[in-house]
Amino acid sequence: MSEFLERIDVVDIDTLHRDYDVDKVIDYVHEGIEAPTGSYPLDLYRKYEAQRWNISDLSFEEDKKDWTDKMTPLQRDTFLRVATGFHHGERQVAVDIMPLIIAAPKDEHKVYMTSQMEDEARHTIFFDRFYREVVGFEATDLMDTLDQSYQYMTETFIGAFGYLAYISDQLRQRPHDKRLLVSAITNYHMWIEGVLALSVMKITLGFCKRNQILPGFHKGFLATTRDESRHVVFGMHLLQELLADDPSLKTAVYDTVVTMLIMGSTYTQPVDYTPLGVERDSVRDILITNLRKKLGMVGLPIPPELERMMQGVQPENAAGG
Amino acid sequence: MSQLNLMSEEWAAAFAAEANSGPDASRRQNVEENYWQWIEARKPNLNIVLGLAIKSDTDADLYSYFRIQEGVIVETWCDKGERRGEAQVVLGGTAEDWEELLRGPRNLSQNIMYRRLRLFQGNLHFFFRNIYYFAELLRQGMRVPAVVQTGAGNSAAEAAAGS
């Protein structure tokens, strides 16, 4: 990894916002993966300590002006259709991660995952502030903001995120079931965070950087992207570890990816990405590339049938968490 | 139509008729055609018994069952859980959950995410590989006006008398 990318580890979020763009942070996610060592959960926990940031440090004053003065109604609508999947996604993962922590095999895994839970809660607050202070929602509480932003969601969101809600329910009841744990990590860390989320980040953050607008959103969401990179690295390492201990669990990864692809092969309302300067097919390419890289990270080949299914994934399913 | 008791024989029959009649015109129009095609493509493999349940902390659970052949409901019945073992999929919630599912304010998709409707029995992959079929079946069936009953008392007349 280049020195420039390595510095992402240590820069504050003002420097991250000023000197880096989303493509660099995504490269950092993929190039930062190394063979897991026994200390990776605590190494990542220490990174969390160094990289943690506060929502209260962000200002959305400029964003509020940009939202009304520099963005067209079409751009605002598309931006919300893309970003809202992340707003709801963050809430879902913040709520559903607890059973995964209980089911994680070692205390080191559990300790790291508490930092991930705090990240997800903080990201939920980040979006809550954005919708209130920039988009202009008048909300009584977190759920009220979510209820108001729901109008921008694609209904097929219940696929990947419903699966997370239901598998975390099962994992809560059977925390020693390794197949359930592998499936939950594949759904959460590989698909939601490693495939869907990175796509939303690329679309929205790329738009902000190219047009030099929404600085508060760019700063907070790029910092979110760096947080997510720790999550993805942890998830892929834990999967590698679990599959090495019991290779028969590989089928749980494939089964889950197939389920995600079947659910992700349709949508209820189309999204026109062009107001944000992105072509629909390029979003699909991003999703496919992200999945290919994640499967590669855990050392799983892509059989022809899976390859065929990957080509059918629909961009509207991009969301985050 | 008067309100029927949820999980009563009358309600289950009315649910089946609505579910088999498909989406209403506005729903059909407001959702992309590829979504309906996705659902149609799954129907040939949907040969199951679906159970819906009102769950309680006591032994007063109530069940309705729907025998589904190639995506179409062909038989319904109700009990207090004695034939639950015949169902490949059992979905349910508490009486409070069903109140929310029937009357909102949140819609069915949100309520699935928020676990107002839980999978009590069945294979997770099977359920989610057919998730939009199940979501639309429920959306259509829940067009039937219903009140949530708990414990004994299964007739439409009782529901009407109480409303």
Side-chain angles (χ1 to χ4, degrees):
Chain A
M1 189 160 50
S2 72
E3 192 182 334
F4 185 67
L5 284 188
E6 279 180 1
R7 282 190 57 237
I8 290 177
D9 264 355
V10 293
V11 297
D12 61 35
I13 65 168
D14 291 317
T15 308
L16 191 69
H17 164 61
R18 189 187 63 236
D19 294 349
Y20 291 85
D21 60 31
V22 64
D23 290 330
K24 292 285 179 297
V25 180
I26 289 175
D27 286 346
Y28 164 81
V29 175
H30 293 138
E31 293 184 29
I33 292 276
E34 295 160 357
T37 64
S39 64
Y40 77 87
L42 294 184
D43 291 346
L44 289 166
Y45 183 80
R46 280 186 281 274
K47 261 193 191 181
Y48 156 79
E49 281 190 328
Q51 295 176 349
R52 195 193 172 285
W53 51 284
N54 292 318
I55 306 290
S56 53
D57 292 341
L58 298 176
S59 166
F60 286 114
E61 284 303 312
E62 283 298 316
D63 297 54
K64 194 174 173 182
K65 283 187 238 162
D66 290 350
W67 189 256
T68 49
D69 298 346
K70 294 186 180 172
M71 289 174 71
T72 67
L74 264 180
Q75 285 174 328
R76 286 196 290 269
D77 184 70
T78 305
F79 195 92
L80 288 173
R81 283 175 177 273
V82 177
T84 301
F86 226 102
H87 180 211
H88 284 259
E90 291 290 3
R91 185 269 175 198
Q92 289 305 110
V93 295
V95 168
D96 288 330
I97 193 175
M98 190 67 87
L100 277 77
I101 298 176
I102 294 167
K106 294 178 185 166
D107 283 0
E108 285 80 357
H109 298 129
K110 295 177 196 291
V111 166
Y112 162 76
M113 289 178 86
T114 61
S115 74
Q116 184 167 332
M117 183 167 73
E118 192 278 327
D119 279 338
E120 309 295 23
R122 184 157 26 86
H123 301 163
T124 305
I125 302 294
F126 166 73
F127 276 98
D128 187 74
R129 267 196 70 189
F130 179 78
Y131 278 93
R132 288 174 195 243
E133 296 178 34
V134 180
V135 182
F137 288 180
E138 288 183 13
T140 54
D141 56 23
L142 293 174
M143 190 53 77
D144 193 14
T145 316
L146 287 158
D147 285 341
Q148 290 184 48
S149 73
Y150 192 78
Q151 62 184 298
Y152 298 103
M153 295 280 285
T154 177
E155 293 178 60
T156 48
F157 184 84
I158 60 166
F161 289 87
Y163 187 91
L164 179 65
Y166 280 35
I167 199 165
S168 68
D169 204 27
Q170 295 196 352
L171 204 51
R172 181 178 57 77
Q173 296 169 64
R174 302 203 307 273
H176 301 296
D177 187 328
K178 288 288 182 287
R179 284 193 78 79
L180 276 183
L181 178 61
V182 165
S183 183
I185 294 168
T186 305
N187 167 237
Y188 180 174
H189 294 79
M190 182 185 281
W191 182 255
I192 291 174
E193 297 198 301
V195 177
L196 303 183
L198 292 183
S199 311
V200 175
M201 287 159 165
K202 194 170 166 68
I203 297 166
T204 54
L205 289 170
F207 171 75
C208 294
K209 192 80 171 182
R210 279 194 304 279
N211 294 281
Q212 293 294 302
I213 57 172
L214 305 178
F217 181 88
H218 186 268
K219 188 187 290 185
F221 203 34
L222 199 58
T224 297
T225 308
R226 184 172 65 176
D227 292 341
E228 300 281 332
S229 76
R230 292 193 306 277
H231 307 173
V232 173
V233 169
F234 172 80
M236 297 309 97
H237 279 353
L238 181 52
L239 272 184
Q240 281 179 298
E241 207 179 335
L242 291 164
L243 301 187
D245 286 348
D246 181 357
S248 74
L249 293 172
K250 287 177 184 173
T251 56
V253 177
Y254 282 125
D255 284 347
T256 308
V257 170
V258 166
T259 300
M260 298 302 123
L261 288 171
I262 290 172
M263 296 187 297
S265 66
T266 187
Y267 57 95
T268 47
Q269 285 84 26
V271 177
D272 175 11
Y273 299 92
T274 53
L276 300 186
V278 179
E279 293 299 324
R280 194 167 182 279
D281 281 349
S282 73
V283 181
R284 178 184 287 112
D285 291 343
I286 297 166
L287 291 166
I288 294 170
T289 301
N290 283 334
L291 179 57
R292 210 183 292 285
K293 287 189 174 178
K294 300 303 163 314
L295 287 167
M297 284 174 180
V298 291
L300 292 179
I302 301 173
E305 178 61 13
L306 197 63
E307 181 68 44
R308 187 192 63 74
M309 293 181 76
M310 284 164 62
Q311 303 305 319
V313 69
Q314 298 296 333
E316 282 76 7
N317 290 283
Chain B
M1 187 190 291
S2 62
Q3 295 200 91
L4 302 177
N5 268 329
L6 195 71
M7 309 302 166
S8 65
E9 299 283 357
E10 295 92 336
W11 175 80
F15 179 102
E18 283 294 326
N20 285 343
S21 72
D24 61 36
S26 70
R27 174 85 187 143
R28 176 103 211 173
Q29 212 164 26
N30 290 334
V31 173
E32 283 290 296
E33 183 57 28
N34 80 83
Y35 177 77
W36 303 115
Q37 288 169 359
W38 187 99
I39 290 171
E40 287 302 315
R42 265 134 202 95
K43 284 185 177 177
N45 296 320
L46 280 159
N47 298 292
I48 60 164
V49 172
L50 166 68
L52 297 179
I54 304 174
K55 303 287 287 183
S56 71
D57 290 334
T58 62
D59 286 336
D61 296 351
L62 295 172
Y63 287 77
S64 287
Y65 304 93
F66 305 88
R67 189 178 303 285
I68 294 171
Q69 286 180 0
E70 298 191 351
V72 177
I73 299 172
V74 296
E75 184 188 0
T76 66
W77 69 94
C78 300
D79 71 11
K80 293 185 178 178
E82 295 87 345
R83 294 176 65 185
R84 173 178 164 164
E86 293 178 41
Q88 282 74 39
V89 174
V90 174
L91 297 167
T94 63
E96 185 192 342
D97 291 331
W98 278 107
E99 284 289 351
E100 167 68 30
L101 288 161
L102 289 167
R103 271 169 269 286
R106 298 190 179 89
N107 69 29
L108 181 69
S109 301
Q110 281 177 289
N111 281 323
I112 288 175
M113 268 175 3
Y114 296 157
R115 278 191 290 259
R116 285 293 195 174
L117 190 73
R118 293 170 58 197
L119 181 67
F120 285 99
Q121 186 167 297
N123 181 282
L124 202 58
H125 290 294
F126 174 80
F127 178 67
F128 277 95
R129 287 175 188 184
N130 297 287
I131 179 66
Y132 311 127
Y133 166 83
F134 287 113
E136 294 306 319
L137 183 92
L138 288 164
R139 203 185 304 277
Q140 290 149 26
M142 288 198 304
R143 292 192 299 239
V144 176
V147 290
V148 181
Q149 57 170 340
T150 51
N154 269 13
S155 77
E158 281 179 32
S163 61

